[in-house]
Amino acid sequence: MKKLDIQSYDRTVVLGALVVVIAMILSLPWLGLGNFYTRGEPREALVAVAMMQQDNYILPFFQGDFAFKPPMLHWLVVACSLPQGFVSETSARLPSALALIVMALVFFRFTARRTCPSRAFIATTIMLTCFEVHRAAMTCRVDMVLMAFMVCEILALFRWYERGLKGMPWLAALLASGAILTKGPVGVLLPAMALGLFLLADGRGLKAAVVCGIKLAIPSLVLPALWYLAAYRQGGEEFWNLVLEENVGRFLGKMSYESHEHGPFYTIPMLLSGLLPFTLLLVFCLPVLKYRSQNSIMERIKNGIRSFRNLDAWHRYAAIVAALIFVFYCIPKSKRGVYLLPMYPFVAMLVADAMMWAYDRHRRVVSAFSGTMTAIAALMAVAMSAIRFIDPQMLGTSRSARRMASQLAGIQAADDSALYIASIALLVAAIVVVIAMRRHRYASIVGALLPWICTTIAIDAAINPAIKNSVPDYDFAKKTRTLLGGNPAYYFCADDMEENVFTVDFYLDDRVEEFHSAAQLPDKGYIFFKEHNLAKIDSVMSGIDTQKVLETPNEFTCFKGKIYLYRFEK
């Protein structure tokens, strides 16, 4: 049999297939290993549950309210859940993982045709494995789906530009519709602004920028308008007020509740931490940069503008996209690291360019980064091997120490599983490969990527599930389900702004009903409430026979406080 000659294959096809394999291995096998442990994931999953239970795919109610976001993610969760007939952790997180895989392949192929396959592969791998992108791909939240729609839309707009901006950008408009139906008008606003700024920088004039923005916006609003109209017919003014608050009030900082409010520079540490570990590569490059202190500030600005203009159109476009998204999200008071996700592919291009520049001119920089990544993998393997010998009690008695002890105990309970042992073996194998290739031409590039890929897999396969499952909400809900039989549970909501314990509600099959006063309760049953409402519940249930049945073993629930379950009888 003739030996397969990989060189005979197109490098783009081979590396593209490798991108898909890496993206799949980094996400799909680990989606269902950990329970829901935050408020956000079960809240989104419960909307999909409500859609399926109520057969209402426009504006379902859950916990007596509307969903805060448009329905695209929830539609996708329903689609992934229909084959099994129910929403699970895996089916709820699957849309995010699939969005990452599709976006990674599209971004790689698009970039490979405008730079080179090797550099596109490095950029895509950096994007796949940086902290913020990977975390978003493993959760049931709207952010990764929004990122995929917006990034593909931005790429489609550049393709339209390459074709002379002729006709209508139908593909970009369709992707914009998906983005709008995922999180609102920002899905078309930012890409349209990015294209407009790029055209202005390209000397096309304001008129061309405005016309192109209109060509994108008008067709992209048709499908979302149909949903908004149908939702308004169901929800009326209450729905419309929610739309205004979430899209206008959030940007202007005039929401009725506090939502991730931070200062104007909060996005800087969020971006640097979200890019980890590749932020370190940029830090390693700093000492070898040439600084011309004799130049004035104006001369430096002119040199920067000149360098920007000397870039090819694709790199100019990518730089404008990244800068616009960053600046845009510095403006509103409401700030989260995941808001910056659409800029990560374009920042990953910058990091890949920095890596290749350092590889060509200062190889010791890439070698140092490669050594750091290999050392991290080695430390991870050693820590995972030695973790069973650590006494959780030695961490102390402070709140943070007790939380770490709880997580450590969860990891120790799983450290003899086959998956845990295989994760350690994977880290060791990565280290062996890097050492064996130390004299190879691309040893430092492999060392910069492979150990971190294997470290990420080990964390998702062995560490994160144990940490997620150490949160007591799931066990509390499981014990509560046994007591309830087929009856609902009643959750005490002190005021209209207080959120339900969505994790418990999800694992009780959305059988939780909120109450504010004892008059809303039946003659007997079970109520549960958060720790900070312990004093209030005595007043609310005054004159009613109550008995504590359950409480979480610690306060490290999804909302950072104990949960209590009481039996009552009037």
Side-chain angles (χ1 to χ4, degrees), residues 228-247:
Y228 276 102
L229 179 61
Y232 179 76
R233 292 182 65 181
Q234 288 190 24
E237 290 299 321
E238 185 179 355
F239 166 74
W240 184 244
N241 291 335
L242 179 63
V243 170
L244 292 177
E245 180 173 43
E246 286 294 314
N247 293 282

Side-chain angles (χ1 to χ4, degrees), residues 377-494:
L379 288 173
M380 186 72 182
V382 171
M384 290 178 67
S385 302
I387 206 164
R388 66 167 59 231
F389 303 106
I390 302 175
D391 181 6
Q393 303 304 319
M394 66 179 287
L395 297 175
T397 58
S398 67
R399 189 179 189 281
S400 58
R402 286 186 288 109
R403 181 176 185 180
M404 289 179 62
S406 173
Q407 294 172 344
L408 181 60
I411 297 172
Q412 288 176 333
D415 70 354
D416 59 349
S417 68
L419 195 55
Y420 194 95
I421 296 171
S423 299
I424 298 175
L426 179 66
L427 292 170
V428 174
I431 296 167
V432 171
V433 169
V434 172
I435 294 174
M437 291 186 62
R438 64 186 182 278
R439 298 188 184 281
H440 192 276
R441 179 183 176 187
Y442 297 113
S444 57
I445 299 294
V446 173
L449 299 177
L450 181 62
W452 182 247
I453 291 174
C454 294
T455 300
T456 302
I457 293 173
I459 292 172
D460 284 329
I463 304 299
N464 276 345
I467 292 176
K468 292 176 181 179
N469 295 340
S470 70
V471 176
D473 300 47
Y474 172 80
D475 289 332
F476 178 87
K478 185 178 179 181
K479 294 175 182 177
T480 301
R481 179 201 290 268
T482 303
L483 295 170
L484 292 177
N487 299 315
Y490 300 91
Y491 168 70
F492 174 63
C493 197

Side-chain angles (χ1 to χ4, degrees), residues 279-288 364-366 368-370 372:
T279 310
L280 297 176
L281 176 63
L282 300 179
V283 173
F284 287 176
C285 288
L286 292 178
V288 298
R364 65 185 184 277
V365 170
V366 183
F369 180 72
S370 172
T372 302

